[in-house]
Amino acid sequence: MSQVQSLPVWSIASPLAGGALHAAGSGLFHTLLPLRLVSAGDGASIVGLAVMAESAGFLVGCVGSTRLIRSVGEVRAYAAFSALAAVLLLSMAFNPGIAALMAVMAVMGFVNAGQTVIIESWLNAMVPNSGRGRALTLYVLVIGLFYGLGQLLARDIDPGGNDMLMFSAAFYVLALVPVTAIWVGEPQLHAPVGIHILRAFRTSPLGAFACLLTGLVSSTFANIGSLYVLDLGFTQDRIALLMSAVVLGALFLQFPLGALSDKLDRTNMMLTLAVVLVVVCGLFFTISVATPFWMLLILFSVFGGISEIFYPLGVAHANDRAEPADFVPLSSNLLLIWAFGGTVGPMIGATGIEHYGANAFFWYAGALSIAFALFALWRRLRRTGVKRRKDFVTYPQTSPEVYQWLPAADNQPPEKNEKP
């Protein structure tokens, strides 16, 4: 397979469109899945198990999908992944039991990770070094906006029927069209990074815990937040709007907060944001269906933005303390730490909502935020000065391939079987 970096910039539209259509289907499906399971008589803990299984499959897919992709090529692998994801979605029309549901969700997580690896490696190969930062920003915006669009489409679709499965599957299949029908060449995948979780914690304990916090809180709420809003008594259209506010708040607050982190000490900023997140969690205890809806939209947006910013700040904080050659493997392992948090968090959060009511999630999120703030304060008091090496860049929680986009990737040692 040949490199395609000589292609014109507009050629990134093909894989970018595929990723956008997939994101729209994912936003629709993940917003309505908790409501579908609840309407079928399942408890919140079943929702937590389903989301946990998908996250575990995604975690495995980030590490293990590259071998399958290399064996058949990116176009064939993407077609197989998309078709399988659509079939798995449609199989839920038979209302499988919890064991079968978890198996379906785990495989879906794996193939979603594989699709993301393909799209991101493709985009990376098409963009020259000078344009990677702009391409990454465009990618984050497009994927986030289309995910939010999928959530807005969920307003008028019955979660208990099969329409939500058919629409979501249709988006997954449509994602095949720009990827397979428009030839843009195929890039060579980078060698998979090794798993060195403890090294990530040693390099930047605070950065690693920031990524873990994002998985435990932000990613968890993105997957089970519908249960919280439903438990408060809101209608489906309001649930979809509020969950889209979380995603869009996370998307657009990253840029001003990230720019601010380049001017301030990142440790102090994360400490301050953790305290702010505790306050925001406390405000959720005061809301009800009688709260003006515009206030709810603002609150959900701020929660999404503040809770999500810890991931890119954590990666930037770790990068400040790493050598350029270590940036890609370090960041990839921080992604795995985030994915682990997103795997165990939904089960904890959903179980708490089922047994203790909607506010249990924000007791959980507030307690984690306090613990992080105390840890950040302790690190601040014992820290020595560190010279910042890189500016803030907003990172999506997608696959390890996204970290190959940045010029820092060029400083890595040669891969195996590659001539220096």
Side-chain angles (χ1 to χ4, degrees):
M1 286 186 272
S2 62
Q3 293 290 334
V4 291
Q5 288 189 357
S6 60
L7 291 172
V9 175
W10 58 262
S11 62
I12 71 170
S14 175
L16 190 61
L21 289 167
H22 185 274
S26 183
L28 170 62
F29 173 70
H30 288 100
T31 300
L32 292 182
L33 176 64
L35 305 184
R36 179 182 180 84
L37 295 176
V38 169
S39 68
D42 295 317
S45 59
I46 300 299
V47 177
L49 286 171
V51 174
M52 180 182 71
E54 183 182 22
S55 299
F58 183 86
L59 178 59
V60 174
C62 283
V63 177
S65 64
T66 53
R67 179 173 298 180
L68 175 61
I69 296 168
R70 287 173 185 274
S71 66
V72 299
E74 300 215 346
V75 171
R76 289 185 178 88
Y78 193 87
F81 287 148
S82 293
L84 182 56
V87 170
L88 290 170
L89 273 173
L90 295 175
S91 72
M92 292 185 186
F94 297 100
N95 297 317
I98 181 58
L101 176 64
M102 291 182 67
V104 167
M105 294 296 289
V107 178
M108 281 189 61
F110 183 92
V111 300
N112 286 340
Q115 287 175 292
T116 305
V117 165
I118 291 169
I119 292 297
E120 291 177 354
S121 64
W122 223 324
L123 289 169
N124 171 54
M126 292 178 179
V127 179
N129 289 348
S130 59
R132 286 180 180 177
R134 294 189 299 275
L136 178 59
T137 300
L138 176 64
Y139 176 69
V140 170
L141 286 171
V142 168
I143 298 301
L145 287 173
F146 273 80
Y147 189 93
L149 175 62
Q151 292 181 305
L152 293 177
L153 292 175
R155 294 177 60 189
D156 301 315
I157 299 177
D158 178 16
N162 294 331
D163 287 352
M164 63 91 74
L165 301 177
M166 294 175 64
F167 278 112
S168 299
F171 276 114
Y172 282 8
V173 173
L174 283 173
L176 277 167
V177 176
V179 174
T180 60
I182 303 174
W183 189 90
V184 290
E186 291 187 72
Q188 178 68 47
L189 281 179
H190 296 88
V193 298
I195 301 177
H196 304 290
I197 302 299
L198 293 180
R199 185 184 302 174
F201 275 97
R202 286 195 297 268
T203 301
S204 174
L206 186 62
F209 276 112
C211 296
L212 180 63
L213 177 70
T214 309
L216 289 170
V217 175
S218 178
S219 301
T220 295
F221 192 74
N223 284 304
I224 68 167
S226 298
L227 293 177
Y228 167 80
V229 188
L230 180 66
D231 194 69
L232 290 178
F234 286 95
T235 58
Q236 181 179 327
D237 62 329
R238 294 296 178 94
I239 292 173
L241 286 171
L242 291 173
M243 293 308 298
S244 66
V246 173
V247 172
L248 295 176
L251 178 63
F252 290 110
L253 280 179
Q254 283 194 51
F255 296 98
L257 290 176
L260 184 62
S261 77
D262 284 336
K263 298 178 174 61
L264 304 176
D265 180 89
R266 292 201 218 274
T267 300
N268 288 339
M269 185 167 181
M270 285 193 283
L271 171 59
T272 302
L273 288 173
V275 174
V276 172
L277 186 56
V278 173
V279 175
V280 171
C281 288
L283 292 176
F284 275 90
F285 298 135
T286 67
I287 69 173
S288 67
V289 290
T291 305
F293 193 66
W294 64 269
M295 293 180 62
L296 294 176
L297 288 173
I298 293 174
L299 183 60
F300 275 71
S301 298
V302 172
F303 174 77
I306 299 297
S307 60
E308 183 74 11
I309 192 61
F310 284 97
Y311 179 81
L313 284 180
V315 175
H317 185 276
N319 186 40
D320 291 342
R321 287 151 179 77
E323 296 300 323
D326 296 327
F327 175 72
V328 173
L330 172 63
S331 300
S332 299
N333 278 275
L334 290 173
L335 175 74
L336 299 181
I337 293 172
W338 162 83
F340 175 77
T343 300
V344 302
M347 190 63 234
I348 299 171
T351 302
I353 290 175
E354 182 175 40
H355 292 286
Y356 303 105
N359 286 334
F361 177 84
F362 288 99
W363 284 111
Y364 156 83
L368 288 174
S369 302
I370 291 172
F372 181 84
L374 292 174
F375 183 72
L377 178 61
W378 177 68
R379 294 293 301 177
R380 178 68 183 90
L381 294 175
R382 69 187 299 269
R383 188 195 64 185
T384 57
V386 174
K387 181 180 179 181
R388 180 169 298 136
R389 291 190 174 93
K390 296 290 181 184
D391 292 335
F392 174 89
V393 178
T394 181
Y395 302 103
Q397 293 95 56
T398 46
S399 84
E401 280 293 317
V402 79
Y403 298 104
Q404 301 284 352
W405 288 32
L406 301 181
D410 299 332
N411 295 319
Q412 293 187 96
E415 299 172 4
K416 292 181 179 179
N417 303 323
E418 179 182 324
K419 295 181 180 180

